[in-house]
Amino acid sequence: MSAIPLESSVEAAAERASASGATGRPGASHAAPLAPRARLLPALAAVYRAQLSRARVARIPLLFVATFQSVGIMILMRGVVDGGSEARSVVAGSSVLVVAFVALNLLAQYFGRLRADGGLDHYATLPVRPASVVLGTAAAYASFTVPGTFVTAVFGCLLFGLPMAHLWILAAVIPLAGAALSGLGAALGLLAPRQELATLFGQLGMSAALLLGVLPASRMPGPIAYARDLLPSTYGVEAFARGFDAHPDWALIGLDLGVCAAVGVVSLAVAAWAYRRAAVR
Amino acid sequence: MSTGTAAARAGTVCAVRGLVKTYPATRGRRGAPGTPEVRATDGISLEVHRGEIFGLLGPNGAGKSTLVRQLTGLMRPDAGSVDVLGHDLVRHPERAARLIAYLGQESTALDELTVSLAVETTGRLRGLPLREARAERDAVLAELGLDEIAGRPLKKLSGGQRRLACFATALVGERPVLVLDEPTTGMDPVARRAVWAAVDRRRAERGATVLLVTHNVIEAETVLDRVAVIERGRVIACDTPAGLKARVADEVRVELVWRDRAPVEVPEVAALRAEAQEAGRRWTLRLSPERARAAVATVTGGPAFAALDDFTLATPSLEDVYLALGGRTEGLVKA
């Protein structure tokens, strides 16, 4: 669309100019000027803010569910695991599970529903880039997970007697694992041919994050350990778990988070493509 | 773009030529039969002029919404062209959002937002800077009388209020063309008046052009400048409401409502039955003025009168036009 030189200078009241015969483009002298497009970041911010406001109405009960679920799993695992590296992966896995529940499962359901009942038309008939809608929504869902993830992590540290010195790693784990999982959730929701399938894929993704993330990797059979390596949330779990070491290996943590970031970039790009495909049929 | 250039010069805002969209046949699944191929728009051509309120009238499933989706860039036609203000929207569907404000039938994307935030967000996504989006939001909410419910989420509102809030989102971030898909569904008369006043204001002050989808004949007669009657994906007539009604000016509509049952033992009543459309105790007849007078004389005198609950004589409405043109009767609303 950069072939339209006037796009940035044209006021929203396009018809006034067109009524007076103003020219919009060389070569099509009678075409009316186009109203400006919404720019990427302001539109992203507007979508983010609108989605965040939904939390008050719709998301808070689900956030409690997500947090209690993770806390419950840790209490259950307390009977099986007693400290050491296994306790670290249980706490890290349960904390990242909150992110998987909201960013993957709920976001897949949200986009699946939006696509199924025509809600995407609203965004598709506004001059906004797919990336603004997908990123704004994904960022909002990732933000919903912040309180639950912190509560789960702190509770887990107290329960298993783990050090809290490096809990600040969550400030990197939540956005990066959030990007990877919400990108995956958005792509699943937008690509699923039916709404029920979007819900199913979201649930399955979350179940995978639960089983492969919370259960200690050392006890898994070979093929399942490979499946664990394929799941993006695993890298968030590993990065967080490494933070409990007395002297964390920052290079490995950086590598794990780098994997999350890379998956996030790819999956969000796929989601933006899927959005465009779903919006214009 | 040659059609666009010519069209824009002639004051045509929207020119549609030979638009075709076919939904492919679907295979039957277990328990559900397959559906045959459907031509949702079957060679539709239209011209909408600047400052006009142009209507698409037809029952559900006639192809109105498919046509509108193709105009707003939401759906690619299989064939044909759509030109809006000199822009080829089949080739550049993404330009539609920069020329047209669209009010669809669904509000899922906005349901959990407050009215105020839904309008403001839509304005920002229509490219307005924050300050302007807020100023326009306040102006539109005041104009439509939505101030009192501005802080409530859409999904907590009644159907009519929610529709009015969605209409508000279509007005913020002004566009030269408004495409409204059944905007007044579920609204009370006050809200309807607010909608038509807002539309009229935009037309009078800014020369806005409105394309309105409706299946409500009364609304179509009162607000539209011109109307295209759509039936099975085709335009079966396109004229002013008065012009369309002139086509059936030689007919009068007689409606008879019987108390319990029609007195078909009266020979004149039995003769009328052959031409009547029956809906429960209500008969609708379309007759020449002379025959209508005779029919009224029959049912208001003698034994038939005892069985008569109510009757009306009316000049033709757009519904009569629609039926006279060969439309199916069900699906148009008269309220």
Side-chain angles (χ1 to χ4, degrees):
Chain A
M1 293 301 297
S2 56
I4 302 159
L6 262 183
E7 67 180 30
S8 56
S9 63
V10 172
E11 290 299 319
E15 84 285 359
R16 256 170 269 162
S18 69
S20 62
T23 57
R25 291 173 300 158
S29 57
H30 288 271
L34 297 163
R37 278 203 283 185
R39 284 178 298 132
L40 179 72
L41 290 176
L44 193 156
V47 171
Y48 178 78
R49 183 164 162 254
Q51 290 289 344
L52 214 54
S53 84
R54 293 173 64 233
R56 261 176 296 176
V57 186
R59 292 283 90 91
I60 285 180
L62 287 168
L63 283 179
F64 273 106
V65 172
T67 311
F68 286 139
Q69 171 183 264
S70 288
V71 167
I73 287 168
M74 287 191 301
I75 293 173
L76 276 176
M77 293 299 286
R78 185 73 184 84
V80 186
V81 170
D82 50 345
S85 71
E86 290 191 338
R88 293 171 194 179
S89 56
V90 168
V91 174
S94 301
S95 304
V96 175
L97 180 62
V98 179
V99 183
F101 180 84
V102 177
L104 203 165
N105 183 19
L106 296 185
L107 192 57
Q109 291 186 31
Y110 173 71
F111 271 122
R113 186 166 60 96
L114 209 57
R115 185 182 164 201
D117 56 20
L120 276 186
D121 289 359
H122 180 74
Y123 291 118
T125 51
L126 296 172
V128 55
R129 287 171 210 268
S132 297
V133 178
V134 170
L135 288 176
T137 310
Y141 273 71
S143 303
F144 295 154
T145 70
V146 171
T149 310
F150 266 106
V151 167
T152 306
V154 169
F155 184 86
C157 288
L158 294 174
L159 191 68
F160 289 92
L162 296 175
M164 289 195 229
H166 298 305
L167 270 195
W168 58 265
I169 290 183
L170 278 179
V173 171
I174 294 174
L176 294 173
L181 292 169
S182 61
L184 208 60
L188 287 176
L190 289 165
L191 288 172
R194 291 215 310 267
Q195 189 186 354
E196 306 83 70
L197 289 177
T199 305
L200 180 73
F201 290 147
Q203 297 278 9
L204 284 177
M206 193 200 66
S207 302
L210 196 167
L211 293 172
L212 303 176
V214 175
L215 298 181
S218 52
R219 298 193 190 180
M220 286 180 189
I224 295 187
Y226 285 123
R228 184 176 182 273
D229 291 344
L230 287 176
L231 198 69
S233 65
T234 300
Y235 299 91
V237 174
E238 300 253 305
F240 186 29
R242 286 182 213 282
F244 290 122
D245 294 341
H247 302 287
D249 186 337
W250 296 111
L252 281 178
I253 290 176
L255 193 67
D256 282 332
L257 291 178
V259 173
C260 284
V263 173
V265 168
V266 172
S267 63
L268 286 167
V270 171
W273 169 82
Y275 166 95
R276 201 189 306 263
R277 178 176 162 275
V280 179
R281 278 165 287 169
Chain B
M1 299 289 273
S2 60
T3 55
T5 311
R9 210 179 283 135
T12 299
V13 166
C14 170
V16 173
R17 300 262 173 274
L19 215 55
V20 174
K21 176 72 191 182
T22 308
Y23 292 120
T26 57
R27 276 181 304 157
R29 290 168 187 270
R30 267 175 299 172
T35 53
E37 183 179 277
V38 178
R39 280 212 155 188
T41 48
D42 190 3
I44 285 185
S45 297
L46 293 171
E47 273 194 10
V48 182
H49 307 309
R50 191 180 302 282
E52 197 170 44
I53 302 185
F54 186 93
L56 300 173
L57 177 72
N60 291 333
K64 309 183 298 288
S65 290
T66 304
L67 172 59
V68 161
R69 293 180 66 82
Q70 293 173 89
L71 291 180
T72 50
L74 287 171
M75 184 186 275
R76 252 174 214 282
D78 299 332
S81 69
V82 176
D83 189 287
V84 173
L85 290 164
H87 296 275
D88 178 349
L89 293 189
V90 176
R91 241 167 87 195
H92 305 287
E94 74 286 351
R95 290 186 192 171
R98 302 166 69 184
L99 297 163
I100 296 171
Y102 170 64
L103 172 65
Q105 294 190 19
E106 290 299 332
S107 64
T108 344
L110 304 172
D111 271 351
E112 283 158 345
L113 307 185
T114 62
V115 174
S116 163
L117 189 57
V119 176
E120 182 192 321
T121 306
T122 307
R124 296 207 64 195
L125 298 186
R126 222 170 249 136
L128 295 181
L130 183 61
R131 192 181 301 240
E132 273 180 50
R134 292 196 170 152
E136 285 208 22
R137 170 199 71 190
D138 294 341
V140 167
L141 292 182
E143 181 181 8
L144 296 177
L146 286 168
D147 282 324
E148 280 180 22
I149 56 168
R152 292 174 57 190
L154 261 75
K155 71 174 185 185
K156 298 264 169 80
L157 302 176
S158 72
Q161 285 178 318
R162 191 184 314 150
R163 202 72 192 126
L164 190 59
C166 289
F167 176 68
T169 68
L171 296 185
V172 68
E174 190 184 324
R175 291 288 185 265
V177 181
L178 286 168
V179 175
L180 310 173
D181 197 343
E182 300 185 7
T184 56
T185 308
M187 283 187 190
D188 63 22
V190 178
R192 279 171 198 249
R193 272 198 295 278
V195 167
W196 299 126
V199 165
D200 263 343
R201 206 167 295 131
R202 270 149 193 82
R203 173 160 75 149
E205 293 171 7
R206 304 161 198 179
T209 305
V210 182
L211 189 68
L212 178 78
V213 177
T214 182
H215 58 215
N216 184 323
V217 285
I218 303 295
E219 201 160 82
E221 283 177 27
T222 47
V223 305
L224 298 180
D225 297 319
R226 283 195 308 138
V227 56
V229 184
I230 315 270
E231 166 75 5
R232 292 169 209 241
R234 291 173 171 275
V235 176
I236 54 175
C238 183
D239 202 344
T240 60
L244 285 177
K245 287 200 276 187
R247 298 186 186 193
V248 288
D250 53 344
E251 280 190 354
V252 176
R253 179 157 40 90
V254 182
E255 295 205 350
L256 307 172
V257 183
W258 306 107
R259 284 181 199 280
D260 301 314
R261 55 169 203 89
V264 284
E265 59 281 1
V266 180
E268 292 91 336
V269 173
L272 288 177
R273 183 175 207 171
E275 291 170 73
Q277 285 182 317
E278 295 183 43
R281 294 180 292 120
R282 180 185 295 270
W283 287 14
T284 305
L285 296 129
R286 290 174 175 80
L287 303 169
S288 66
E290 303 77 47
R291 291 195 56 220
R293 270 194 294 277
V296 170
T298 302
V299 298
T300 52
F305 188 58
L308 191 67
D309 187 29
D310 191 13
F311 77 93
T312 52
L313 266 180
T315 53
S317 72
L318 280 183
E319 187 192 24
D320 301 296
V321 176
Y322 170 72
L323 292 171
L325 291 168
R328 290 166 294 155
T329 177
E330 64 269 31
L332 291 183
V333 176
K334 294 172 281 182

